CSV table of all heavy atoms in Angstrom, one decimal:
chain,number,residue,atom,x,y,z
A,54,LEU,N,0.4,-30.9,-6.8
A,54,LEU,CA,-0.9,-30.9,-6.3
A,54,LEU,C,-1.9,-31.7,-7.2
A,54,LEU,O,-2.8,-32.4,-6.8
A,54,LEU,CB,-1.4,-29.5,-6.0
A,54,LEU,CG,-0.7,-28.8,-4.9
A,54,LEU,CD1,-1.2,-27.4,-4.7
A,54,LEU,CD2,-0.8,-29.6,-3.6
A,108,VAL,N,-2.8,-19.6,-6.4
A,108,VAL,CA,-3.0,-20.8,-7.2
A,108,VAL,C,-3.8,-21.7,-6.4
A,108,VAL,O,-3.6,-21.9,-5.2
A,108,VAL,CB,-1.6,-21.5,-7.5
A,108,VAL,CG1,-1.8,-22.7,-8.3
A,108,VAL,CG2,-0.7,-20.5,-8.2
A,118,PRO,N,-5.7,-32.8,2.5
A,118,PRO,CA,-4.5,-33.6,2.4
A,118,PRO,C,-3.7,-33.5,3.7
A,118,PRO,O,-3.9,-32.6,4.5
A,118,PRO,CB,-3.7,-32.8,1.3
A,118,PRO,CG,-4.2,-31.4,1.4
A,118,PRO,CD,-5.7,-31.5,1.8
A,119,THR,N,-2.9,-34.5,4.0
A,119,THR,CA,-2.1,-34.5,5.2
A,119,THR,C,-0.6,-34.5,4.8
A,119,THR,O,-0.2,-35.2,3.9
A,119,THR,CB,-2.4,-35.7,6.0
A,119,THR,OG1,-2.2,-36.9,5.3
A,119,THR,CG2,-3.8,-35.7,6.6
A,120,GLU,N,0.1,-33.6,5.5
A,120,GLU,CA,1.6,-33.6,5.2
A,120,GLU,C,2.2,-34.9,5.9
A,120,GLU,O,1.7,-35.3,6.9
A,120,GLU,CB,2.2,-32.4,5.9
A,120,GLU,CG,2.1,-31.1,5.1
A,120,GLU,CD,2.9,-30.0,5.7
A,120,GLU,OE1,4.2,-30.0,5.5
A,120,GLU,OE2,2.3,-29.2,6.4
A,133,LEU,N,3.3,-31.5,-0.4
A,133,LEU,CA,2.9,-30.5,0.5
A,133,LEU,C,4.1,-29.8,1.2
A,133,LEU,O,4.0,-28.6,1.5
A,133,LEU,CB,1.9,-31.1,1.5
A,133,LEU,CG,0.5,-31.4,1.0
A,133,LEU,CD1,-0.4,-32.0,2.1
A,133,LEU,CD2,-0.2,-30.2,0.3
A,134,GLN,N,5.2,-30.6,1.4
A,134,GLN,CA,6.3,-30.0,2.0
A,134,GLN,C,6.9,-28.9,1.0
A,134,GLN,O,7.4,-27.9,1.4
A,134,GLN,CB,7.4,-31.0,2.3
A,134,GLN,CG,7.0,-32.0,3.4
A,134,GLN,CD,8.1,-33.1,3.6
A,134,GLN,OE1,9.0,-33.2,2.8
A,134,GLN,NE2,7.8,-33.9,4.6
A,136,VAL,N,5.2,-27.2,-1.2
A,136,VAL,CA,4.3,-26.1,-1.2
A,136,VAL,C,4.6,-25.3,0.1
A,136,VAL,O,4.7,-24.0,0.0
A,136,VAL,CB,2.8,-26.6,-1.2
A,136,VAL,CG1,1.9,-25.4,-0.9
A,136,VAL,CG2,2.5,-27.2,-2.5
A,137,ALA,N,4.7,-25.9,1.2
A,137,ALA,CA,4.9,-25.2,2.5
A,137,ALA,C,6.2,-24.4,2.5
A,137,ALA,O,6.3,-23.3,3.0
A,137,ALA,CB,4.9,-26.1,3.7
A,138,CYS,N,7.2,-24.9,1.9
A,138,CYS,CA,8.5,-24.3,1.8
A,138,CYS,C,8.6,-23.2,0.8
A,138,CYS,O,9.4,-22.2,0.9
A,138,CYS,CB,9.6,-25.3,1.5
A,138,CYS,SG,9.9,-26.4,2.9
A,139,SER,N,7.8,-23.3,-0.3
A,139,SER,CA,7.9,-22.3,-1.4
A,139,SER,C,6.9,-21.2,-1.4
A,139,SER,O,7.2,-20.1,-1.9
A,139,SER,CB,7.7,-23.1,-2.7
A,139,SER,OG,8.6,-24.1,-2.9
A,140,ALA,N,5.8,-21.4,-0.7
A,140,ALA,CA,4.7,-20.4,-0.7
A,140,ALA,C,4.8,-19.4,0.4
A,140,ALA,O,5.3,-19.8,1.5
A,140,ALA,CB,3.4,-21.1,-0.7
A,141,ARG,N,4.4,-18.2,0.2
A,141,ARG,CA,4.3,-17.3,1.4
A,141,ARG,C,3.1,-17.6,2.3
A,141,ARG,O,3.2,-17.3,3.5
A,141,ARG,CB,4.4,-15.8,0.9
A,141,ARG,CG,3.1,-15.3,0.3
A,141,ARG,CD,3.3,-13.8,-0.1
A,141,ARG,NE,2.2,-13.3,-0.9
A,141,ARG,CZ,2.2,-12.2,-1.6
A,141,ARG,NH1,3.3,-11.4,-1.5
A,141,ARG,NH2,1.2,-11.8,-2.3
A,142,ARG,N,2.1,-18.2,1.7
A,142,ARG,CA,1.0,-18.7,2.5
A,142,ARG,C,0.4,-19.8,1.7
A,142,ARG,O,0.5,-19.9,0.5
A,142,ARG,CB,-0.2,-17.6,2.6
A,142,ARG,CG,0.3,-16.4,3.3
A,142,ARG,CD,-0.9,-15.3,3.4
A,142,ARG,NE,-1.8,-15.3,2.4
A,142,ARG,CZ,-3.2,-15.1,2.5
A,142,ARG,NH1,-3.7,-14.9,3.7
A,142,ARG,NH2,-4.0,-15.0,1.5
A,143,TRP,N,-0.3,-20.8,2.4
A,143,TRP,CA,-1.0,-21.9,1.8
A,143,TRP,C,-2.0,-22.4,2.7
A,143,TRP,O,-1.9,-22.2,3.9
A,143,TRP,CB,0.0,-22.9,1.3
A,143,TRP,CG,0.5,-23.9,2.3
A,143,TRP,CD1,1.5,-23.6,3.2
A,143,TRP,CD2,0.0,-25.2,2.6
A,143,TRP,NE1,1.7,-24.7,4.0
A,143,TRP,CE2,0.8,-25.7,3.7
A,143,TRP,CE3,-1.0,-26.0,2.1
A,143,TRP,CZ2,0.6,-26.9,4.3
A,143,TRP,CZ3,-1.2,-27.2,2.7
A,143,TRP,CH2,-0.4,-27.7,3.7
A,144,GLY,N,-2.9,-23.2,2.2
A,144,GLY,CA,-3.9,-23.8,3.0
A,144,GLY,C,-4.9,-24.6,2.2
A,144,GLY,O,-4.7,-24.9,1.0
A,145,THR,N,-5.9,-25.1,2.9
A,145,THR,CA,-7.0,-25.9,2.3
A,145,THR,C,-8.3,-25.3,2.7
A,145,THR,O,-8.5,-24.7,3.8
A,145,THR,CB,-6.9,-27.3,2.6
A,145,THR,OG1,-7.2,-27.5,4.0
A,145,THR,CG2,-5.6,-28.0,2.3
A,154,VAL,N,-6.9,-26.9,-2.4
A,154,VAL,CA,-5.6,-26.6,-1.8
A,154,VAL,C,-5.1,-25.4,-2.6
A,154,VAL,O,-5.1,-25.4,-3.8
A,154,VAL,CB,-4.6,-27.8,-2.0
A,154,VAL,CG1,-3.3,-27.5,-1.4
A,154,VAL,CG2,-5.2,-29.1,-1.4
A,155,TRP,N,-4.7,-24.4,-1.8
A,155,TRP,CA,-4.3,-23.2,-2.4
A,155,TRP,C,-2.9,-22.7,-1.9
A,155,TRP,O,-2.6,-23.1,-0.8
A,155,TRP,CB,-5.3,-22.0,-2.2
A,155,TRP,CG,-5.5,-21.7,-0.8
A,155,TRP,CD1,-6.5,-22.3,0.1
A,155,TRP,CD2,-4.8,-20.8,0.0
A,155,TRP,NE1,-6.3,-21.8,1.4
A,155,TRP,CE2,-5.3,-20.8,1.3
A,155,TRP,CE3,-3.7,-19.9,-0.2
A,155,TRP,CZ2,-4.8,-20.0,2.4
A,155,TRP,CZ3,-3.2,-19.1,0.8
A,155,TRP,CH2,-3.8,-19.2,2.1
A,156,PHE,N,-2.3,-22.0,-2.7
A,156,PHE,CA,-1.0,-21.4,-2.2
A,156,PHE,C,-0.8,-20.0,-2.9
A,156,PHE,O,-1.4,-19.7,-3.9
A,156,PHE,CB,0.2,-22.3,-2.4
A,156,PHE,CG,0.5,-22.6,-3.9
A,156,PHE,CD1,1.4,-21.8,-4.6
A,156,PHE,CD2,0.0,-23.7,-4.4
A,156,PHE,CE1,1.7,-22.1,-5.9
A,156,PHE,CE2,0.3,-24.1,-5.7
A,156,PHE,CZ,1.1,-23.2,-6.5
A,157,GLU,N,0.0,-19.2,-2.2
A,157,GLU,CA,0.2,-17.8,-2.7
A,157,GLU,C,1.7,-17.7,-2.8
A,157,GLU,O,2.5,-17.9,-1.9
A,157,GLU,CB,-0.4,-16.8,-1.8
A,157,GLU,CG,-0.4,-15.4,-2.2
A,157,GLU,CD,-1.1,-14.5,-1.2
A,157,GLU,OE1,-2.3,-14.7,-1.0
A,157,GLU,OE2,-0.4,-13.7,-0.6
Side-chain angles (χ1 to χ4, degrees):
L54 294 179
V108 180
T119 55
E120 279 188 82
L133 290 178
Q134 291 175 357
V136 171
C138 290
S139 303
R141 71 178 172 195
R142 299 184 324 145
W143 77 280
T145 63
V154 179
W155 61 269
F156 63 89
E157 192 177 294

